[in-house]
Amino acid sequence: MNQQHILETQRTYTRHIGPDDFDEIAAILGDGEVMYAWEQAFTEEEIRDWIKENIVRYTRDGYSYWAVVLKGSGRIIGVAGIFREDADNEEYIGIGYIFNKTFWHRGFAFECAEACKHYAFHTLHIPFLTAQIRPDNTSSKKIAEKLGMSVIKHFVRVYRGNPVPH
């Protein structure tokens, strides 16, 4: 597994996610409160598939969600990154972040999202990023606004058969 640091912030660094990270990623994606935007926690199979998909994206696109590692501890506290995604059958490059709830409301999501934005614009020369956020996710909306983002479209994404506004 590639352990190279991709991004570094004051308190964290990011690196590729690999199969050996399953337990730490499962503690995040397997938590229903963390994953409410996806309508429920991911199953073990969904987590393994999610890890595999990120590995494919690293090769195909050169980026995806990365493990966010707390400096000094080596602990994965979340995932953040940029990735191809669609909304209403249009492709975008999005920015996203999912953190262990122990680390919520401590500035980690903004810190990492800001590093991802800088990397996307200045290293990859991606001209435009999106963030697909549920209207009731006030914390993520505040992060996006702090990043200089604004609403460009409303659409409905279907998760597990349920229509979910974004």
Side-chain angles (χ1 to χ4, degrees):
M1 177 172 45
N2 182 353
Q3 294 297 322
Q4 174 187 2
H5 296 194
I6 297 150
L7 305 175
E8 191 165 334
T9 72
Q10 181 180 359
R11 300 178 290 170
T12 69
Y13 65 86
T14 65
R15 64 164 175 78
H16 287 177
I17 297 166
D20 293 344
D21 297 318
F22 177 82
D23 290 340
E24 289 179 289
I25 299 297
I28 299 163
L29 302 185
D31 183 322
E33 187 177 354
V34 171
M35 298 302 289
Y36 89 94
W38 286 265
E39 294 294 296
Q40 68 185 47
F42 282 14
T43 65
E44 285 191 15
E45 182 180 350
E46 288 170 326
I47 295 165
R48 289 185 202 291
D49 289 345
W50 186 88
I51 290 170
K52 288 176 191 170
E53 177 61 24
N54 282 287
I55 293 168
V56 167
R57 289 176 176 181
Y58 300 147
T59 302
R60 184 188 68 211
D61 303 328
Y63 50 83
S64 190
Y65 275 108
W66 298 299
V68 175
V69 181
L70 188 61
K71 287 180 180 175
S73 75
R75 178 178 178 194
I76 295 174
I77 63 169
V79 295
I82 51 178
F83 39 84
R84 295 184 187 281
E85 61 185 352
D86 73 295
D88 284 343
N89 298 314
E90 292 183 58
E91 188 173 284
Y92 297 94
I93 298 180
I95 188 169
Y97 34 85
I98 310 168
F99 281 81
N100 183 309
K101 67 184 167 202
T102 304
F103 295 90
W104 285 4
H105 308 294
R106 294 172 54 186
F108 286 104
F110 175 73
E111 186 176 317
C112 294
E114 186 175 47
C116 289
K117 175 185 166 185
H118 186 271
Y119 182 79
F121 290 167
H122 299 287
T123 301
L124 300 177
H125 306 289
I126 295 169
F128 184 81
L129 288 173
T130 61
Q132 295 185 11
I133 301 171
R134 290 175 66 148
D136 59 345
N137 189 339
T138 54
S139 293
S140 278
K141 286 176 19 181
K142 285 179 185 176
I143 291 166
E145 289 167 3
K146 206 170 165 184
L147 290 170
M149 302 175 105
S150 59
V151 176
I152 58 168
K153 132 188 285 194
H154 294 272
F155 68 98
V156 174
R157 174 162 283 224
V158 177
Y159 290 121
R160 302 181 193 283
N162 298 316
V164 180
H166 283 72

